Amino acid sequence: MNKRIIITIAREYGSGGREVGKQLADKLKIPFYDKELITMAARESGFKTELFEKNDEQVDYSNNYLTAIGYVLGSPVAGLTDISMNDELHFIQTNVITQLAEKGSCVIVGRCADYVLRNDPDMVSVFITGNQEDKVLRIVNEYHTAALDEAEALMAKTDKRRGNYYNYYTNRDWKDAQHYDLCVNSSVLGVEKTADLIAAFIEMRNA
Amino acid sequence: MNKRIIITIAREYGSGGREVGKQLADKLKIPFYDKELITMAARESGFKTELFEKNDEQVDYSNNYLTAIGYVLGSPVAGLTDISMNDELHFIQTNVITQLAEKGSCVIVGRCADYVLRNDPDMVSVFITGNQEDKVLRIVNEYHTAALDEAEALMAKTDKRRGNYYNYYTNRDWKDAQHYDLCVNSSVLGVEKTADLIAAFIEMRNA
């Protein structure tokens, strides 16, 4: 990949979106950031990694919305000192995302990266969805959840949490196609070909 | 195109989605249905074409929602006789869409076609969005609206109408990426290459 390209991937739980991002990064020979991002952020901030994992993509509604907005904008709002742990973690992750994107081409999964980097002209935002039955089966197979109904409940809960997190820090609807350059249902082509399609989209864009 | 394929296209006003559909149909050498659909429906039902055009993709909220649901399901609900003109038009269009899809491969723009044909295994549903500034400029250029603010107002009004129409007859959020196989922002590649991308998606799907 000669031209700098930043691909952000939002994904429904069980859609295989993370794996799509991984295969896309391998195909384009560029770095892939997901949990690694959290570890990096943790290292940089001095917070314990476990704290990040516990609070990952969660929202603390007890905190002031304006405070969060200040953090999204890149700096704490003066005079507001009641910063929740979640907001602080989100702020650190936002800074890490910005720094990673500055280093060069990469794929970043989750964490509102599309919103954080929305003014980057080299950013392509992707959202991965999937058919209900495929997502449930993937959760059962990959996450070793025993029962279908448990997988369904876990899926609903996780997507609700992701949607709330996204909406809280961006004031946008997570599933709104309007905010993404490309949304793909991974059930149509499967994970590998979905990564191929996104690669084709980027090639056409950069041509 | 050897294998039967039905491509439905929903589109934000000003996104160029109709033109994307037209170019895609030309590329695949399959029929394209948009306003033609309305004319066909009009001829079949005996209604005057002008009536269809006036009521096209509008919702009459004074009417009973259950009545509409009955129509979407393919038959009027017994005992409900208070059918509004809009519901009647929508019902006729729904029948026409089903008949067109049965005839063979085609591209159908708007009119909840993705929902009407949701159980068709050969259906691919596409949603076309666009950047705000590009949509406004397209409306100014193609629809000969004089001022930018008028174009913006027309765009907001038309998208609201389309969203309401879609939600009324499908109980789904029009812009929710979850309901489409593929959503593309036409501002990234432009109309022609967006049609190319959809063609590539279909080729990969049918391979």
Side-chain angles (χ1 to χ4, degrees):
Chain A
M1 209 75 212
N2 289 325
K3 192 178 179 310
R4 176 177 176 270
I5 187 85
I6 310 295
I7 303 147
T8 63
I9 297 192
R11 74 297 181 213
E12 288 184 328
Y13 188 59
S15 69
R18 189 195 166 279
E19 186 56 28
V20 168
K22 184 80 186 70
Q23 294 199 16
L24 179 65
D26 289 348
K27 201 179 296 288
L28 301 178
K29 298 184 177 39
I30 60 178
F32 170 79
Y33 301 114
D34 182 16
K35 290 282 172 190
E36 293 92 316
L37 189 70
I38 301 169
T39 315
M40 280 190 56
R43 252 188 253 122
E44 189 182 340
S45 68
F47 275 104
K48 284 181 182 167
T49 307
E50 305 84 68
L51 253 179
F52 274 74
E53 280 169 358
K54 183 161 175 279
N55 286 280
D56 185 36
E57 289 188 316
Q58 300 227 16
V59 173
D60 177 1
Y61 285 110
S62 67
N63 194 41
N64 191 315
Y65 186 73
L66 279 174
T67 312
I69 288 296
Y71 269 82
V72 166
L73 291 174
S75 60
V77 176
L80 290 172
T81 51
D82 180 24
I83 310 295
S84 81
M85 177 69 83
N86 287 332
D87 287 344
E88 186 119 18
L89 294 181
H90 178 76
F91 174 52
I92 294 167
Q93 291 183 345
T94 294
N95 280 344
V96 172
I97 287 169
T98 307
Q99 287 167 20
L100 290 173
E102 277 170 7
K103 285 206 294 184
S105 299
C106 60
V107 174
I108 306 175
V109 173
R111 282 144 201 93
C112 310
D114 59 302
Y115 185 80
V116 173
L117 303 172
R118 66 194 177 284
N119 294 323
D120 189 323
D122 299 331
M123 195 269 286
V124 167
S125 55
V126 178
F127 186 58
I128 304 291
T129 61
N131 291 350
Q132 180 83 0
E133 56 274 23
D134 295 331
K135 291 188 293 183
V136 170
L137 278 181
R138 182 172 283 112
I139 294 166
V140 168
N141 288 332
E142 293 186 14
Y143 301 87
H144 308 295
T145 307
L148 286 181
D149 58 346
E150 277 177 23
E152 269 175 26
L154 181 63
M155 185 173 78
K157 202 174 155 184
T158 307
D159 278 347
K160 189 160 194 175
R161 183 164 53 76
R162 287 180 181 175
N164 286 347
Y165 177 85
Y166 188 86
N167 176 259
Y168 182 76
Y169 287 110
T170 70
N171 206 22
R172 291 179 175 179
D173 179 358
W174 182 52
K175 292 189 174 184
D176 191 336
Q178 196 178 24
H179 301 309
Y180 301 96
D181 294 323
L182 189 67
C183 309
V184 195
N185 179 336
S186 64
S187 294
V188 179
L189 301 181
V191 165
E192 193 182 336
K193 281 184 171 182
T194 299
D196 289 342
L197 180 85
I198 301 168
F201 179 75
I202 288 164
E203 198 174 323
M204 290 164 83
R205 177 186 181 275
N206 290 352
Chain B
M1 211 73 212
N2 288 325
K3 194 180 178 309
R4 175 176 177 270
I5 187 86
I6 310 295
I7 302 147
T8 63
I9 296 192
R11 74 293 179 217
E12 288 185 327
Y13 189 60
S15 69
R18 190 194 166 280
E19 186 57 25
V20 168
K22 184 81 185 70
Q23 294 200 16
L24 179 65
D26 288 349
K27 198 177 297 287
L28 301 179
K29 298 184 177 36
I30 58 178
F32 171 77
Y33 302 113
D34 182 16
K35 290 281 173 192
E36 293 94 315
L37 189 70
I38 301 169
T39 315
M40 280 189 58
R43 250 189 253 121
E44 188 182 341
S45 67
F47 275 105
K48 285 180 180 169
T49 307
E50 304 85 69
L51 253 180
F52 275 74
E53 279 169 358
K54 185 159 174 279
N55 287 279
D56 186 36
E57 290 188 315
Q58 301 227 15
V59 172
D60 179 1
Y61 285 110
S62 66
N63 194 40
N64 191 314
Y65 185 72
L66 280 175
T67 313
I69 288 295
Y71 269 82
V72 166
L73 291 174
S75 61
V77 175
L80 290 172
T81 52
D82 179 25
I83 310 297
S84 82
M85 177 68 84
N86 287 332
D87 287 343
E88 186 119 18
L89 295 180
H90 177 77
F91 175 52
I92 294 166
Q93 291 184 345
T94 295
N95 279 345
V96 171
I97 287 169
T98 307
Q99 287 165 21
L100 289 172
E102 277 169 6
K103 284 207 293 182
S105 298
C106 61
V107 174
I108 306 176
V109 173
R111 284 145 199 93
C112 312
D114 58 302
Y115 184 79
V116 174
L117 302 172
R118 66 194 177 284
N119 294 322
D120 189 324
D122 299 332
M123 193 268 285
V124 167
S125 56
V126 178
F127 187 58
I128 305 291
T129 62
N131 290 352
Q132 179 85 358
E133 56 274 23
D134 295 330
K135 292 187 294 181
V136 170
L137 279 179
R138 183 173 281 113
I139 293 167
V140 168
N141 288 331
E142 292 186 14
Y143 302 85
H144 308 294
T145 307
L148 285 183
D149 58 346
E150 278 178 24
E152 267 175 27
L154 181 62
M155 184 172 78
K157 204 174 153 184
T158 307
D159 277 347
K160 190 162 192 174
R161 184 164 54 73
R162 286 179 181 176
N164 286 346
Y165 177 84
Y166 188 86
N167 176 257
Y168 182 75
Y169 288 110
T170 70
N171 206 23
R172 290 179 177 179
D173 179 359
W174 182 52
K175 293 189 173 182
D176 190 336
Q178 198 179 23
H179 302 309
Y180 301 96
D181 294 323
L182 189 66
C183 308
V184 195
N185 179 335
S186 64
S187 294
V188 180
L189 301 181
V191 166
E192 194 183 336
K193 281 186 176 180
T194 299
D196 288 343
L197 180 83
I198 302 169
F201 180 73
I202 288 163
E203 198 175 322
M204 290 165 82
R205 177 185 181 275
N206 290 351

